[in-house]
Structures are given as structure tokens and as C-alpha cells.
Amino acid sequence: MPKLTVDGVELEVPQGATVLQAAELAGKEIPRFCYHERLSIAGNCRMCLVEVKPGPPKPQASCALPAAEGQEITTNSAMVKKAREGVMEFLLINHPLDCPICDQGGECDLQDQAMAYGRGGTRYEENKRAVTEKYMGPIVKTIMTRCIHCTRCVRFAEEVAGVEDIGAIGRGEGMQITSYLEGAVQSELSGNVVDLCPVGALTSKPYAFEARPWELKKTMGIDVMDAVGTNIRFDARGREVFRVLPRINDDVNEEWASDKTRYAVDGLLRRRLDKPYIRKGGKLVEASWDEAFKAIAKHAKTAGDKVAAIAGDLVDCETMFAARELLGKMGSTLLEGRQTGLAYDATNLAAVNFNSGFNGIENADVILLIGSNVRWEAPLVNTRIRKAIKNGAKVFAIGPEIDLTYKVEWLGDDAKILKRLPKKLSDALKDAERPAVIVGGGALAVEGVHGAALKLADKFNMVRGDWNGFNVLHFSAARMGGLMLGYAQPGGMTDIVAAKPELAFFLGADEVDFGQFDDCYKVFIGHHGDKGAHAADVILPAAAYPEKNGTYVNLEGRVQFSDKAVFAPGDAREDWSILRALSDALGHTLPFDSFAQCRAAMVAAVPQLAEEGVVSFDWSPPKLSDKPEGTLAYPIKDFYLTNAIARASQTMQRCSAELLHADDMLEAAE
């Protein structure tokens, strides 16, 4: 490890570190525009200049200079100060004076660094150049005259998102960043370029001219659009969430977020349920909470213990726990969370968990995907697989061929392939040091696939002391938490229907086949007027995920807590409190009166939910049928419209229409 000095302070840095990283280890702030720790080094903004001895008597770009033994680095000399002022003056030659109307204002790297390192004036009087605007789709708004050519967006698109849709054309002053044919960027991660852009060239189109950053209250939360458990921040003003941004968590989402995570938030304003409703004469009519509870209590008396609870994809653990306790007092154990009909064995949670972890899958050297469109089911897991490929991993897949943004050896879509593995796959798994298999939702729907995958894991020694390469990829935020709380019948929804419940609680469950419950009194506790509300006999308006505290468990078994950012609209209430009030009306009072008490009772029942972090599940997989029969398909048909919030979002509707269904883009006059 090289030893060097930074501003007179001696320190040791890791082999391969750059001078910029060495300076930061010494606690020195180095300005930069093009450098980003998760992207390749470009070295083209020249803002990170420092003085290095031995070396030429001039400032050098620290981001691209390797740290070496005996270097003397100076970050605050007169030479460095003058050089940075010159670079900043050069960058501002063509930058427009847009700060008053620029959405980047208040959180702009160029603003901050111009104040800290700039001259305070310019010597250039020539006309500024102008660049025509580019079209990059419904997500990203472009004002390319502001662009300083840092190429962060280009490198992100190619290296992380895996789509080469953004690049540079022209040379010198004529250089422009563009999406080439000026079409929408075909990536479900395109919104990240807005965070990466250090100026106002790329901003959020749905958020344009909505608010300034200092007006917004910031609340830490967890995303529910998929099962990754992306760490996010809600930025809200009053009762409205204006935007969702990712938080840095190297173990989960690094610092990225999918476009659905970021931009489905406008769906929180539309199609909301804000009053209780009761179906009378075939029509839903407004009612009071008391009337709704009395109607449910009337049917509960005749239903006895024939009561069921079906959890949706977005609910928190506290809601599922409160419903479980209420049903327990009513004498029922009919709980199910796999609303679309999956019925895999969940007796051992390690056998339905993403055991490698997101960091771990980067170290796999052979990965077999079974019935999983990772790009849509978990976009941020897909970026980890791309990292594994950069480290030399080979990827094989069984399922319909799709573009996963990286090279895949496709083996077909017949599940029987798992019984007779092609020699190239068998040899690769046999020779691999860290083989991994990822079983998707499409695979779990086919009889025998889960068992065959478990047998593969055993045959190729995928599970051992230092490595567990068996992974199941859920795509519902509530799935792992629901399984831990017992929301899994042996036969799935088939068992629920066969029990012929006379009263059923649907906890935000919109994807259920409600035709199977025609003879059942249906109570929908949810936040959007979607499929569940349309089928319900009673609607109890609940809170969406930014409107309540909650515990969520992601697909790798990581427990995470989300905080309340805003209040629910109208008469809507937090789900646990609805169930607590309903328990009084039913004569089965639940033993808690606050969220803290509800959570404490849940932790007492399931201690694994007590603390944030990855839950350790013992590996004792069940003996299942390993004779797969059928064709694998992918469960998600439209990435942008997978849940009630996304379907209510105008931004997601437009993304779906334009990016997936090739509808023409709307002009301003339309």
C-alpha cells in the first residue's frame, strides 16, 4: 500500500487508488464534475486539479492519476487555486444564466462550485453558444445549452443501464450530447441521469417547475414498486409528495432507483379512495365509518370462522400482522399473499429467498436464470448481474428470449431442460467456484420447477459454508414479509377458494381473480379505486406507502423501516388503525392502540422483524417434485403498470404507451 502525503499529512492508501481518492481519505474536498465513483474515469472536466510532486510543475487531474509511493500532493496552493478558477471560468463561457428558472437551482454542483472555486467574474464577452433541445422521453427533460460535456449520462447509460442510447456527436465547440435519433431512452433506469447531471442540462420532466428543494420536507422511506427494497427519500410539501429520490445504500440499491420508483408518485394524487363505501343495490355509495363497520359485523356473525385475508403486493408487515391477529380471534387461519395464484412450498424460507444477496451475486461466476425477466422484475438486481459479467461471469437462461442488456446463452423455454441440462451448462456449473441460480416468478408458476432448481443446487454444491447460490426472485414488496407472517396456504389461492369463505378482507389486493369470490362478502382495505375496489362490497380507505410508518422485508430477507411523509387524503386512515377499530365493532378487540404497540406485538410474535438487517434463514429445503412440465413465461407484461399506484400515474401511463407500445409522442398542443 503506497504511502504519500496530502497537504503535509502522511497516510497510506489502498493499491490502485487515485490521487483524488487519496485526498478524500485525508479529508480534503476535491471539486469535480465528470468523476463519479460508480462510473469509469473520463478525466474531461479538469476541475479536480491538484499539484503533485514529483511531477511536472503544473496542476494535474487527480481523478485519473494513480496514487504512488512518496507523492507529495497539494490541494490548496496558489497554483491550484488559480487553475481551478480558470477551469470554472472556461466552463461558464457558454453556460446560460438560467439559475432563476432552472430546476437544478439549489442543488446544482455548478452553482456550488462556482461559488467555492470560481473567480466571481468572467473576462469573456463573446456570444454564448446555443444547442437545440433533445427528446429523451417522458422522464428526462433536456436543456442542452446548459451541458458542460461531463459525459456522466453517457457512461451511466452504457455501463450501468446497459443501453447505448445516449452519446456525443460533433467535436470541440460543436459537440452535443444526444439520444442519437432523438427518441426516448429505452431503459427503466433512465431517471438516474437526472441525479448524475451536475448542471441543469438533464432534469426531471414530471417535476419541472413544481418546487424548490428548500421548500420540501424530506422523509426517509422504502420503495414498494418491486421487491428490491430500494432506499428512498420522499420530498413533500403540505400533503403532496412531489418527488422520490434514492438514498445511498451500498448493500441494496447503491444510489440508483428505477423509473417506476421515482415517477409513479404522481399516481398518489389520482383515483384515491378517501371515504368508506358500501355496495347497495349493486352500486357503491358513500357511507360513514360506523355504517361500514356495522355492515361488516353483520356478515361476520353469519360467517363464523369462514373468514379469509388476502394481502396485496404493496402492504407493510404491520398491516398483515393486524389482519392475522384479527382472523386468529375469529378462529381462522386462511391467510394468503400470493394473490395471482402462485402456490410454491414456503415451509422453509431459505428455499424462497435471494440467498446470495445483492452484493454476493456480483461474485458469482456462472448464473442460471430460470423463468426470470430480471430487467423488469428487479432492475437493480439486473445491474448487479451486469457487474458479475464484468468480473467474468457467464449467464445462461431458460425462458423466452428477451433483451436483458447483456450477453445471455439462451437454452429454450421448455421447463424439461432442467431435467436434461445441456452439456455446456452442466460443465460450466461443475467447473464454477461460485455457481448461482435465480428462479423467477414465471418459473414458480410451473409445476416441478422449484423442486428441480433445488435439486440443481444440491447437485452442483451451490450451497455450502461460505456461499449460497440458490436464489428466488420475488417482484412484490410484501412477499417476504407475508411469508414470514404466515401468508401462505399449502395450495395458495386454490386453498382459500376451496374453503369457501363467507367474508374476505382484501388488503390492497388488486390482482386477485375476484370471480372466484362471487359468493363471498368482500371488504377492500386499500388506497386506490382499482380492480379491488370495483369488486368490493365494502371499501375502507387506507393509506399508501408514503402516508404511514411500516416495516418491509425485501427479496433477500432484509428488514427495513419506512417513515410517514404525508397524511392520507380525506377520511382515509392507516391500515393497522382501520383493523384495530374494526376489531372493536366485531367484538374481537386487538391488544394494541398505537403503531408502536402494534409493532411491538408483531416483533414479539416474529422476532426476526425486530431489527433492520438481513434475516438469517436456516437452509433445510423441502423435498419437492423435480419433474418440471410446461413452458416458462414471464409474469410481468407491462413494467410500468404493475400495481394500482402505477396504473393511476399519468407518467407511468405515458411511459407504457411510448416505450412499450410505440405510441407516437404527444406534442405540446395535444
Side-chain angles (χ1 to χ4, degrees):
M1 293 173 65
K3 285 184 179 178
L4 45 79
T5 60
V6 178
D7 292 342
V9 177
E10 187 173 321
L11 73 155
E12 204 170 10
V13 298
Q15 190 68 41
T18 63
V19 168
L20 185 148
Q21 291 168 328
E24 292 202 327
L25 284 173
K28 303 297 180 180
E29 181 181 339
I30 305 294
R32 83 289 298 269
F33 292 113
C34 69
Y35 175 80
H36 191 278
E37 52 271 16
R38 300 191 198 277
L39 304 176
S40 61
I41 295 171
N44 53 14
C45 78
R46 317 310 285 180
M47 193 64 208
C48 62
L49 295 173
V50 296
E51 194 176 342
V52 182
K53 296 177 182 177
K58 62 177 184 178
Q60 298 187 65
S62 61
C63 68
L65 185 65
E69 183 72 32
Q71 280 178 334
E72 295 179 24
I73 300 163
T74 308
T75 67
N76 53 9
S77 67
M79 178 199 292
V80 170
K81 184 175 183 294
K82 184 178 179 182
R84 288 175 181 169
E85 287 177 354
V87 170
M88 180 58 70
E89 187 177 12
F90 182 72
L91 288 172
L92 293 174
I93 290 173
N94 287 311
H95 196 77
L97 303 176
D98 280 351
C99 297
I101 55 124
C102 177
D103 271 321
Q104 200 85 341
E107 50 191 8
C108 174
D109 290 351
L110 191 64
Q111 272 186 341
D112 295 342
Q113 293 185 38
M115 291 293 292
Y117 304 101
R119 279 172 48 91
T122 180
R123 293 168 290 176
Y124 289 88
E125 296 179 356
E126 290 80 2
N127 292 330
K128 293 179 180 287
R129 76 167 191 157
V131 180
T132 55
E133 306 310 349
K134 315 299 178 188
Y135 184 78
M136 289 192 182
I139 297 295
V140 182
K141 178 183 176 184
T142 64
I143 304 94
M144 300 313 292
T145 301
R146 301 172 186 162
C147 179
I148 62 169
H149 301 163
C150 70
T151 69
R152 279 186 180 182
C153 55
V154 179
R155 285 174 284 148
F156 172 83
E158 182 179 343
E159 296 165 16
V160 180
V163 295
E164 297 184 358
D165 286 4
I166 304 176
I169 58 173
R171 297 179 67 185
E173 193 181 40
M175 177 179 167
Q176 298 182 23
I177 303 294
T178 176
S179 55
Y180 295 124
L181 301 178
E182 296 196 26
V185 179
Q186 298 288 322
S187 172
E188 54 290 322
L189 297 168
S190 64
N192 290 290
V193 300
V194 173
D195 287 351
L196 286 172
C197 185
V199 296
L202 304 177
T203 55
S204 170
K205 191 172 284 187
Y207 175 69
F209 307 123
E210 290 287 343
R212 287 299 196 184
W214 55 83
E215 302 173 330
L216 303 174
K217 183 185 77 171
K218 299 163 180 60
T219 309
M220 306 305 126
I222 301 298
D223 174 54
V224 298
M225 293 295 136
D226 56 29
V228 170
T230 301
N231 288 214
I232 56 175
R233 189 186 85 197
F234 301 112
D235 283 5
R237 186 176 65 197
R239 301 186 74 150
E240 181 180 346
V241 177
F242 276 84
R243 64 178 180 178
V244 167
L245 297 176
R247 289 184 285 136
I248 296 176
N249 187 329
D250 288 336
D251 294 328
V252 183
N253 56 294
E254 298 180 296
E255 61 185 79
W256 316 126
S258 75
D259 290 349
K260 191 162 50 173
T261 296
R262 288 173 180 273
Y263 297 112
V265 68
D266 63 325
L268 295 169
L269 302 176
R270 297 171 179 85
R271 303 185 196 169
R272 288 304 300 269
L273 300 171
D274 58 358
K275 290 182 176 65
Y277 288 84
I278 300 176
R279 192 175 295 277
K280 294 180 179 178
K283 291 187 177 180
L284 288 166
V285 295
E286 284 186 24
S288 68
W289 281 100
D290 192 47
E291 289 172 323
F293 286 168
K294 284 179 179 176
I296 297 168
K298 177 183 172 184
H299 284 83
K301 283 180 182 177
T302 59
D305 62 355
K306 288 201 160 189
V307 187
I310 292 95
D313 292 345
L314 312 182
V315 292
D316 54 289
C317 291
E318 285 79 6
T319 299
M320 291 186 280
F321 172 74
R324 184 184 89 169
E325 294 303 289
L326 179 57
L327 259 67
K329 286 179 175 289
M330 298 172 77
S332 173
T333 57
L334 292 175
L335 306 169
E336 184 54 68
R338 299 163 295 183
Q339 52 176 332
T340 55
L342 295 177
Y344 48 82
D345 189 296
T347 53
N348 177 239
L349 292 181
V352 290
N353 188 47
F354 199 91
N355 295 293
S356 297
F358 302 148
N359 283 333
I361 200 67
E362 295 178 13
N363 300 318
D365 45 9
V366 174
I367 301 172
L368 172 62
L369 305 176
I370 306 174
S372 180
N373 178 358
V374 193
R375 185 175 176 181
W376 280 7
E377 293 169 19
L380 297 180
V381 175
N382 208 46
T383 64
R384 302 289 189 143
I385 296 175
R386 286 183 56 80
K387 282 189 174 184
I389 291 171
K390 288 178 183 175
N391 293 334
K394 291 182 180 178
V395 178
F396 297 86
I398 301 173
E401 290 193 26
I402 50 174
D403 178 15
L404 291 175
T405 74
Y406 43 79
K407 184 181 178 183
V408 178
E409 185 96 30
W410 292 96
L411 305 173
D413 59 3
D414 190 343
K416 289 182 180 177
I417 293 170
L418 287 167
K419 286 298 290 178
R420 297 183 300 276
L421 293 184
K423 188 174 185 302
K424 54 188 173 184
L425 172 59
S426 183
D427 290 346
L429 290 172
K430 196 182 300 179
D431 297 337
E433 289 183 21
R434 290 176 299 280
V437 60
I438 297 177
V439 183
L444 292 173
V446 178
E447 181 67 31
V449 170
H450 193 194
L454 286 168
K455 191 170 182 180
L456 275 185
D458 182 53
K459 179 180 178 181
F460 293 103
N461 196 28
M462 290 184 190
V463 182
R464 49 183 186 265
D466 60 339
W467 175 252
N468 189 330
F470 185 83
N471 303 293
V472 170
L473 187 73
H474 302 294
F475 47 87
S476 303
R479 185 69 77 242
M480 280 304 294
L483 295 176
M484 292 171 71
L485 288 163
Y487 276 73
Q489 299 295 308
M493 286 295 292
T494 304
D495 285 3
I496 300 286
V497 174
K500 295 184 178 178
E502 296 179 18
L503 173 64
F505 295 101
F506 294 90
L507 311 175
D510 288 295
E511 319 303 329
V512 177
D513 178 4
F514 290 98
Q516 299 175 314
F517 294 89
D518 287 340
D519 299 327
C520 176
Y521 197 72
K522 298 178 282 294
V523 178
F524 181 74
I525 304 175
H527 40 74
H528 274 74
D530 206 276
K531 303 170 189 174
H534 288 204
D537 296 301
V538 174
I539 295 173
L540 303 178
Y545 69 109
E547 300 159 0
K548 58 186 174 182
N549 297 304
T551 303
Y552 299 91
V553 185
N554 76 353
L555 62 89
E556 58 176 350
R558 184 184 299 273
V559 178
Q560 301 186 110
F561 305 143
S562 185
D563 294 334
K564 180 177 179 176
V566 293
F567 288 95
D571 289 338
R573 297 291 181 265
E574 294 179 32
D575 311 54
W576 73 267
S577 65
I578 294 173
L579 291 160
R580 169 63 182 83
L582 178 59
S583 71
D584 281 342
L586 298 181
H588 299 293
T589 303
L590 293 173
F592 44 80
D593 297 312
S594 67
F595 175 80
Q597 290 175 355
C598 175
R599 175 164 170 71
M602 179 182 74
V603 167
V606 186
Q608 292 169 313
L609 295 172
E611 295 181 8
E612 285 189 305
V614 177
V615 176
S616 177
F617 300 118
D618 293 331
W619 179 257
S620 55
K623 301 295 182 184
L624 305 174
S625 166
D626 59 354
K627 297 178 180 177
E629 295 283 342
T631 302
L632 299 180
Y634 303 126
I636 297 179
K637 305 304 178 189
D638 189 324
F639 170 75
Y640 297 100
L641 305 176
T642 53
N643 58 62
I645 297 174
R647 286 190 287 269
S649 164
Q650 291 182 338
T651 305
M652 292 296 99
Q653 292 280 358
R654 187 168 176 189
C655 284
S656 172
E658 187 174 335
L659 300 177
L660 300 185
H661 304 295
D663 290 1
D664 291 336
M665 66 181 184
L666 298 176
E667 298 294 343
E670 298 179 84

